[in-house]
Amino acid sequence: MSDHLSLVILAGNIGKQYEWQKQIDPVGPYRETLLEYSIFDALEIGIRHFVFIINQDFSAETKKYFQHIIDRNFSHVEFILQTTYTAVPRSIYDSIDNRKLPWGTGHALLIAKSHLSHPFIIIDADHLHGRRTFYKAKELFIERKILPNRYGLVTYSLLKTITEDDLVSRGLCSLNKDYLKVIKKFNSIHFNNDNEIVSDEIDEDLVFDNEANVSMNFWILHPSIFRFLEDKFNSFLKNNAKELDKTFSLYKVINDMIKEDQLEVIVRKSDERCFGLYNKESKYKIIENIRNSIEVDIYPKPLWK
């Protein structure tokens, strides 16, 4: 088994509620961006290979900024552009000419196939995942738990992924002991007037409480997933090429692989909070959390010496 672990960063989502790129919005005391804290945490657990999945709005200046940070830490970075036409057969170009949405997280990962030959962590760029979450992922890797037919997922308690002003979607996990059975997405999760977490949807198979396991897309994957992604994406395009609002989600592919007995996913739960950068209100919560983390010496000030 390789002794290398990469980090794939899904950095192409600008966000409808945001007026500019979340990836470069400063949240640290020295104008550090949210993503820099994830990069710092990844470096702390020994990651030296970074793959950014970006869109056309990810500017040359932003690429240069992150390139400089990673280079000065003796690491390697690659930027991969995700467009509507990337890894899509030319025969359906006319069908997707009016498509505005990206194809989704499954497609974003698929286009990194030639850049990853050993296990890797995948994260969303607009979340602050927490240092101990990265260590949970590293433990799965060094314990040789990540195999061609076994992947990893670090989850959070539902309560630690939502604050009083949030209205969010979450993927709740159903487990069989330490293994994932299925992820089901719930929309409009929020606190009600009695300070209880509720959703507009109900599922009798899932326990919906503060400690429910939630996926925030913090996966530890093996390159074997690319074969499944290719097959599933080709099937997806055959059925949905003309559907302009359909997306090809990574968690749905993994759900299918589990259901088809192609895969098992071992789950470890983080005790961290996971903060998302959804709007200006959530930004202030992240700034406060980073300030608190600096005070207890989790992060240095400034972040980069």
Side-chain angles (χ1 to χ4, degrees), residues 251-268:
Y251 85 90
K252 291 182 179 178
V253 172
I254 292 178
N255 277 347
D256 287 345
M257 292 171 68
I258 294 171
K259 185 177 180 180
E260 296 164 6
D261 293 325
Q262 301 279 354
L263 175 69
E264 59 183 12
V265 177
I266 189 167
V267 175
R268 296 279 173 85

Side-chain angles (χ1 to χ4, degrees), residues 64-110:
K64 184 177 180 180
Y65 181 77
F66 287 110
Q67 176 93 49
H68 175 69
I69 288 171
I70 292 170
D71 283 350
R72 68 184 291 192
N73 282 281
F74 309 103
S75 301
H76 176 59
V77 62
E78 300 176 85
F79 296 93
I80 304 173
L81 180 64
Q82 181 189 21
T83 73
T84 306
Y85 301 97
T86 310
V88 171
R90 289 183 177 274
S91 60
I92 68 166
Y93 276 16
D94 290 342
S95 300
I96 63 174
D97 190 49
N98 294 320
R99 186 179 179 89
K100 304 298 182 185
L101 283 175
W103 288 110
T105 52
H107 175 254
L109 180 57
L110 174 60

Side-chain angles (χ1 to χ4, degrees), residues 3 6 11 17 53 77 99 128 155 207 220 229 248 285 293:
D3 60 353
S6 299
Q17 296 171 293
I53 311 299
V77 62
R99 186 179 179 89
L128 184 64
T155 63
V207 178
I220 312 93
L229 285 171
F248 180 65
K285 296 183 180 73
S293 296

Side-chain angles (χ1 to χ4, degrees), residues 105-293:
T105 52
H107 175 254
L109 180 57
L110 174 60
I111 66 174
K113 175 184 176 181
S114 63
H115 301 262
L116 296 160
S117 57
H118 44 74
F120 56 92
I121 297 170
I122 182 169
I123 65 169
D124 292 326
D126 54 0
H127 286 91
L128 184 64
H129 298 276
R131 175 76 52 78
R132 293 190 297 275
T133 308
F134 279 87
Y135 273 107
K136 290 279 186 182
K138 181 64 178 290
E139 287 171 5
L140 287 174
F141 175 68
I142 62 177
E143 291 170 5
R144 300 182 181 273
K145 302 290 188 183
I146 307 304
L147 301 170
N149 62 345
R150 186 202 298 140
Y151 303 159
L153 172 66
V154 183
T155 63
Y156 298 83
S157 296
L158 175 60
L159 181 62
K160 293 185 177 181
T161 72
I162 181 173
T163 57
E164 62 273 8
D165 300 320
D166 288 339
L167 180 64
V168 296
S169 299
R170 290 288 181 262
L172 269 68
C173 303
S174 177
L175 304 183
N176 180 8
K177 296 183 179 178
D178 293 330
Y179 289 88
L180 181 66
K181 290 172 59 180
V182 69
I183 295 176
K184 294 186 179 181
K185 189 174 181 180
F186 286 76
N187 298 310
S188 303
I189 297 176
H190 59 280
F191 282 95
N192 64 15
N193 293 333
D194 296 321
N195 206 34
E196 299 170 326
I197 300 178
V198 296
S199 171
D200 294 344
E201 303 162 83
I202 297 174
D203 191 315
E204 295 179 355
D205 296 330
L206 287 171
V207 178
F208 197 91
D209 60 23
N210 290 355
E211 294 304 314
N213 280 276
V214 171
S215 168
M216 299 299 287
N217 289 327
F218 199 104
W219 298 97
I220 312 93
L221 304 176
H222 187 277
S224 63
I225 194 171
F226 291 113
R227 176 168 58 87
F228 295 98
L229 285 171
E230 284 182 323
D231 291 344
K232 296 292 185 183
F233 188 55
N234 288 335
S235 298
F236 173 85
L237 289 177
K238 288 178 181 178
N239 297 319
N240 300 286
K242 296 182 180 180
E243 302 293 331
L244 302 182
D245 59 348
K246 295 283 188 178
T247 55
F248 180 65
S249 299
L250 177 60
Y251 85 90
K252 291 182 179 178
V253 172
I254 292 178
N255 277 347
D256 287 345
M257 292 171 68
I258 294 171
K259 185 177 180 180
E260 296 164 6
D261 293 325
Q262 301 279 354
L263 175 69
E264 59 183 12
V265 177
I266 189 167
V267 175
R268 296 279 173 85
K269 194 169 189 176
S270 175
D271 60 355
E272 294 271 16
R273 292 193 64 88
C274 184
F275 291 89
L277 188 53
Y278 311 118
N279 49 43
K280 294 305 175 65
E281 289 73 24
S282 63
K283 174 183 174 180
Y284 298 125
K285 296 183 180 73
I286 289 172
I287 290 173
E288 181 182 6
N289 180 264
I290 290 172
R291 185 185 303 118
N292 294 337
S293 296

